Amino acid sequence: MFSAADAEEGRDQTADDLMPRTPGVVVRASDITWRGASNPPGVGMLGSMHLPEPRGPLSAALFSDLVGRPTLSSTTTATAEQVAAQVAGAMTDDDLQISLAVCYELHYRGFDDVPDHWEWEPALLGLRGVLERRHLAALRELVGPLPVTDEPIDRQLAALIAADDGPSLSAYMAKQGTLEQWREYLTVRSVYHLKEGDPHTFAVPRLSGRAKAAMVEIQADEYGGGTPERMHSELFAGLMRDLDLDAGYGALWDDAPAAAFASVNTMSLFALHRRWRGAAVGHLTAVEMTSSEPSRRYSAGLRRLGFDERTTVFYDEHVEADAVHEQIAAVDMCGSLVAEQPELAADVLFGAAAALAMDGVTAHHLLGAWEAGRSGLRGERPLAA
């Protein structure tokens, strides 16, 4: 996901302006899309997924229950209520966000050390609800009021994105990002991109008709059109390995800050609740409408550091795919949904605004840390010169 500031800045620049060229070498889109990730592992290998390190009293109590008890202790439930009541900056609170992320992860791949029955454990769902309400309240505060007009929903979405003034991470990474900053950025984004389309895909059964078909069309590309090596999560994993990062699913969770989990938790909240199906659709649409031009810049930033199309394929793929997906998402998916259920227009806009706002949280976190000369990851390790 890329911010509207990323997309807006890209309108004044072409790929030729941004991408250094190697004399005598012509890279065609058709050369890029079929190759898959460089340095590939065994595609489809599930690997291990263990509980992350606790980040406070709530996650410590919760994780202890998940591995050692059949249900939640009263202490854990009380701690969740205390954390939800007291946290002011919910989006950047490590204890709250990692706890919510672990609750959601039970609906994805789960954890090797947590029994499967926990996925639908009533007490855990109750605790998750407490955290969700705090997260949602913080998200509403972050987004602010969103007036709904009589304009077609695709135009309202375009206006919302155009009005976003969040910082542009892609512009920074294209022109200034160091190799170490790239590793930090990829660590943060790995929390989402190694899942790729999964959070949004949960919303497919909640839709019908043209809106459902449009979402499936978009998601099919996310999953490589049936080719495992071309799944976007696999392309991102190859990018990580090329930059000497552990690309195992969940392997870098302990390094990622709260903002990384808050972003994915927002997607999971929308897609796992039928009540928020409109927001899930709006969120996905904002992703598709704001990623093509920033992807050019991210690719350019990697090329500036000496990487070639074998490494940049993840971003190169999004330059083409999301330019097509933009209209499918805004007109076919959102337009059809709102035409059938006009009462969901406000939720569609809320989901899109939430996507932009969460990108802003991540950008402020990373750019603020780098400007201060420190790491944007947990532990505040100093950056390499």
Side-chain angles (χ1 to χ4, degrees):
M1 171 62 190
F2 313 94
S3 73
D6 289 333
E8 180 65 30
E9 185 164 332
R11 292 172 189 149
D12 297 325
Q13 295 175 298
T14 67
D16 290 338
D17 296 324
L18 292 167
M19 291 190 177
R21 296 195 178 274
T22 302
V25 176
V26 177
V27 180
R28 299 179 177 83
S30 59
D31 294 330
I32 294 172
T33 54
W34 67 269
R35 290 178 177 174
S38 63
N39 190 18
V43 175
M45 298 294 287
L46 187 59
S48 298
M49 181 64 175
H50 297 284
L51 282 170
E53 298 172 354
R55 303 189 183 187
L58 172 58
S59 51
L62 173 61
F63 299 172
S64 177
D65 285 355
L66 291 177
V67 298
R69 294 173 55 90
T71 189
L72 291 180
S73 66
S74 58
T75 300
T76 302
T77 302
T79 302
E81 293 174 349
Q82 292 171 3
V83 169
Q86 295 174 2
V87 171
M91 295 304 176
T92 55
D93 183 86
D94 276 299
D95 197 22
L96 187 153
Q97 293 299 337
I98 196 64
S99 297
L100 186 54
V102 165
C103 289
Y104 284 139
E105 188 59 33
L106 297 173
H107 296 292
Y108 292 99
R109 298 197 189 183
F111 301 94
D112 295 358
D113 36 359
V114 177
D116 285 343
H117 84 269
W118 276 103
E119 181 181 4
W120 296 108
E121 169 60 30
L124 184 62
L125 295 179
L127 179 146
R128 194 187 85 187
V130 170
L131 303 183
E132 285 178 330
R133 287 189 288 274
R134 183 66 192 92
H135 181 92
L136 187 59
L139 196 58
R140 288 188 182 279
E141 182 178 356
L142 190 63
V143 167
L146 292 168
V148 180
T149 71
D150 294 331
E151 287 281 307
I153 194 66
D154 60 305
R155 294 183 185 176
Q156 293 186 64
L157 287 164
L160 179 69
I161 290 169
D164 181 62
D165 59 356
S168 174
L169 260 177
S170 67
Y172 180 90
M173 299 307 287
K175 299 175 182 178
Q176 299 175 245
T178 66
L179 182 58
E180 185 62 23
Q181 288 170 341
W182 263 100
R183 291 185 178 121
E184 292 194 13
Y185 171 73
L186 295 180
T187 296
V188 169
R189 297 306 292 166
S190 71
V191 176
Y192 166 47
H193 282 313
L194 292 180
K195 278 185 171 61
E196 196 50 58
D198 293 349
H200 293 125
T201 299
F202 274 123
V204 171
R206 308 182 190 283
L207 305 176
S208 62
R210 190 179 182 190
K212 185 173 192 171
M215 178 174 271
V216 170
E217 182 177 358
I218 293 169
Q219 295 301 86
D221 282 347
E222 301 296 327
Y223 296 120
T227 303
E229 294 83 0
R230 290 182 58 185
M231 291 172 58
H232 289 182
S233 55
E234 291 294 334
L235 300 183
F236 189 82
L239 166 58
M240 292 180 69
R241 286 188 293 271
D242 283 355
L243 270 69
D244 298 322
L245 291 170
D246 188 340
Y249 184 88
L252 302 182
W253 272 31
D254 287 335
D255 295 316
F261 296 97
S263 179
V264 182
N265 286 342
T266 298
M267 299 183 220
S268 297
L269 187 155
F270 290 160
L272 286 170
H273 290 268
R274 185 178 181 278
R275 182 262 177 271
W276 289 112
R277 63 195 182 280
V281 166
H283 190 290
L284 175 58
T285 300
V287 171
E288 301 300 335
M289 292 180 72
T290 61
S291 65
S292 185
E293 288 302 325
S295 290
R296 292 184 191 274
R297 291 196 291 277
Y298 284 122
S299 183
L302 289 168
R303 291 172 185 265
R304 176 176 55 82
L305 294 176
F307 296 98
D308 62 19
E309 66 272 13
R310 297 290 296 186
T311 299
T312 64
V313 60
F314 172 80
Y315 292 113
D316 297 336
E317 179 88 356
H318 281 78
V319 171
E320 298 180 44
D322 291 351
V324 175
H325 291 170
E326 178 176 349
Q327 290 300 310
I328 298 173
V331 178
D332 296 339
M333 185 169 64
C334 291
S336 298
L337 180 66
V338 172
E340 294 175 359
Q341 302 175 71
E343 70 277 9
L344 294 183
D347 289 345
V348 170
L349 294 174
F350 177 61
L356 300 175
M358 292 314 305
D359 272 359
V361 170
T362 300
H364 280 295
H365 174 83
L366 286 176
L367 294 175
W370 296 339
E371 184 178 357
R374 57 181 173 80
S375 169
L377 303 182
R378 292 183 68 221
E380 298 188 352
R381 292 183 295 276
L383 295 177

